[in-house]
Amino acid sequence: MTEANKYLMNTYKRSHIVLRKGRGMKVWDADGKEYLDFVGGVAVNCLGHCHPKVVIALQKQAQRLLHVSNLFYIEPQIKLAKLLVENSCADKAFFCNSGTEAVEAAIKLARKYAKDHTTPDRYEIITAEGSFHGRTFAALSATGQEKLHKGFEPMLPGFKHVPFNDIDALKNAVTKHTCAVMLEPIQGEGGVKVPEKNYLKQVRQLCDERGLLLILDEVQTGMGRTGKLFAYEHFDIEPDIICLAKGLGGGVAIGAMLAKDKVAASFQQGAHGSTFGGNPLATTAAVATVEALLEDGFIMDNCRRMGDYLMAGLGKLKEDFPSLIVEIRGSGLLIGMEITKNCASIVDMCAERGFLINCTCGNVLRFMPPLIVAAKEIDSLIDVLDDIFGTMQ
Ligand SMILES: *Cc1c(COP(=O)(O)O)cnc(C)c1O
């Protein structure tokens, strides 16, 4: 990898593996070695690698039109907005190119809405400690992890961080300057932290009482990942703004910010924009992805069943290795296993045996396979983890 080191900036802690090809749950490296992919592009490849519906739709679109700018309408962008609106609590969609851009759009819209409807000094957004909202400056400032801010200060003013899953801390943080609360329904990068069942409901109630917008960052939890199209559906609430990206394009870069009509109305012409946002290729891929996710419910049903199955398999491991495994948590196919050791070597040992898994927060093994994963693939992962944990006793 001398050329990689010579030419690429050193921003990622990467595996030495060079991946070249993928189909469904499988990927192959440049030497032809096969892997089962339980990383799934960090919750991006929801339909598996190179899903034929996405690939064929892209091929057709590539021959028709690649780009025209947002000075004109294009059919797939309208179709995607309709699909997302008809299958969510939101009324309008704005398209961008990534998760951090969806968050930026949400922050701008929340501030603009407050300016339009309240006083000019209401601009503060409360987010959670341990949260992850992206790497651009507003999203980074919103992110509740000091280690990611380090070296880039000063952060953008107007963000306050409170402990996740603590309604009293949130209540106490609201001031006359607060305009919104932004949360991940389940913290992904923060170690797959699932809040208590009624936390988000209490947050929604607080927002209603204090006239605050509720922004849910569903960049990781959305698009079927938790067994429902959006994670908020598990919590019996409706957010005012939803941020999407990752799984939305089934492997193609696209982000979206959805909002209720009354909120969306604060983005008037010229208020926000993106050259590539909602471009023909990205929206075509996303239309194919959302249609596949919704088609007869098979994929999300599989996600729920396989999520339970993986959770049960990991639970057995916890019984066998109680001193190594602290906790298993998650929803659908977003599952974290907190262990007492640093997990980097486990990730490497899994890769050696042909299984790609992820580690977040240093000691949480994270599993985000494509939602099409099969029971026998989970069985083989559990066998390999069992083996590896056995050598660590
Ligand atoms: C990944 C992620 C982001 C950032 O998305 P990018 O596409 O990398 O900019 C934002 N929020 C959450 C919850 C994420 O998981």
Side-chain angles (χ1 to χ4, degrees):
M1 283 308 98
T2 48
E3 289 209 328
N5 293 333
K6 183 164 179 327
Y7 295 115
L8 290 170
M9 286 209 197
N10 195 25
T11 48
Y12 303 100
K13 186 169 163 43
R14 290 198 236 232
S15 154
H16 63 278
I17 299 167
V18 181
L19 292 174
R20 180 174 282 168
K21 179 178 151 171
R23 284 291 180 281
M25 267 297 288
K26 290 177 181 166
V27 285
W28 290 268
D29 70 14
D31 300 323
K33 179 172 168 161
E34 183 178 295
Y35 302 85
L36 278 178
D37 185 3
F38 283 83
V39 180
V42 188
V44 166
N45 300 92
C46 52
L47 304 178
H49 292 276
C50 298
H51 191 284
K53 282 204 172 115
V54 177
V55 171
I56 290 165
L58 278 170
Q59 285 169 335
K60 282 190 185 156
Q61 184 58 47
Q63 293 180 335
R64 196 177 294 140
L65 194 61
L66 288 176
H67 186 78
V68 290
S69 88
N70 279 308
L71 299 171
F72 305 93
Y73 289 114
I74 51 167
E75 286 146 329
Q77 190 181 112
I78 302 166
K79 196 168 173 185
L80 179 60
K82 183 171 182 222
L83 267 174
L84 292 172
V85 163
E86 287 186 343
N87 289 286
S88 74
C89 64
D91 303 307
K92 293 276 195 296
F94 171 84
F95 295 110
C96 49
N97 309 286
S98 66
T100 202
E101 284 180 47
V103 168
E104 294 284 331
I107 291 167
K108 284 181 72 176
L109 180 58
R111 283 192 178 191
K112 182 67 166 49
Y113 178 81
K115 293 271 184 308
D116 288 351
H117 296 275
T118 64
T119 49
D121 59 350
R122 273 179 75 157
Y123 55 83
E124 207 168 72
I125 298 177
I126 305 175
T127 71
E129 289 171 7
S131 61
F132 183 79
H133 296 294
R135 302 283 194 164
T136 52
F137 255 107
L140 181 64
S141 305
T143 294
Q145 298 189 52
E146 252 171 58
K147 67 173 197 280
L148 301 180
H149 295 173
K150 231 181 150 104
F152 302 109
E153 298 91 346
M155 288 294 113
L156 188 74
F159 293 94
K160 209 187 244 179
H161 307 107
V162 297
F164 187 55
N165 195 26
D166 181 342
I167 190 67
D168 291 325
L170 184 59
K171 269 184 191 154
N172 292 332
V174 176
T175 68
K176 64 177 177 21
H177 301 298
T178 313
C179 73
V181 174
M182 178 162 69
L183 296 167
E184 297 159 87
I186 295 170
Q187 290 189 336
E189 301 306 302
V192 192
K193 299 263 172 68
V194 186
E196 264 164 50
K197 188 78 193 160
N198 63 349
Y199 173 63
L200 287 173
K201 220 167 176 171
Q202 291 172 315
V203 174
R204 175 72 270 181
Q205 202 176 352
L206 174 69
C207 288
D208 290 342
E209 282 164 14
R210 304 296 299 263
L212 313 174
L213 294 179
L214 176 57
I215 305 168
L216 287 187
D217 180 349
E218 293 235 26
V219 168
Q220 191 156 151
T221 55
M223 310 326 293
R225 178 55 46 189
T226 68
K228 292 190 186 277
L229 194 57
F230 306 106
Y232 75 79
E233 296 172 54
H234 293 286
F235 298 97
D236 194 23
I237 56 152
E238 292 190 353
D240 302 293
I241 299 178
I242 307 167
C243 303
L244 299 174
K246 292 206 164 92
L248 178 57
V252 173
I254 181 168
M257 188 269 291
L258 312 182
K260 295 274 194 193
D261 259 332
K262 64 165 190 185
V263 183
S266 283
F267 262 0
Q268 278 135 355
Q269 288 182 6
H272 195 48
S274 165
T275 296
F276 288 117
N279 69 73
L281 280 183
T283 48
T284 294
V287 166
T289 302
V290 178
E291 282 180 346
L293 282 176
L294 294 172
E295 201 172 32
D296 63 38
F298 169 79
I299 292 175
M300 282 192 278
D301 186 49
N302 190 68
C303 171
R304 285 190 292 273
R305 285 185 297 112
M306 291 303 109
D308 289 347
Y309 191 70
L310 176 52
M311 196 79 110
L314 296 172
K316 277 216 194 76
L317 290 178
K318 183 170 183 287
E319 281 170 24
D320 293 343
F321 303 98
S323 61
L324 178 66
I325 301 170
V326 180
E327 191 179 39
I328 298 148
R329 46 189 188 244
S331 178
L333 284 166
L334 176 58
I335 299 179
M337 181 160 78
E338 186 177 332
I339 61 176
T340 53
K341 293 194 163 85
N342 182 292
C343 47
S345 66
I346 298 173
V347 171
D348 290 344
M349 285 188 269
C350 280
E352 226 162 86
R353 293 171 200 220
F355 290 81
L356 302 183
I357 65 168
N358 173 254
C359 163
T360 184
C361 297
N363 68 332
V364 179
L365 294 169
R366 185 171 44 161
F367 307 95
M368 307 156 281
L371 310 183
I372 54 155
V373 64
K376 64 176 195 308
E377 292 160 340
I378 291 174
D379 289 340
S380 56
L381 171 72
I382 298 292
D383 284 348
V384 163
L385 288 173
D386 189 28
D387 250 25
I388 291 171
F389 293 164
T391 68
M392 295 171 71
Q393 286 289 72

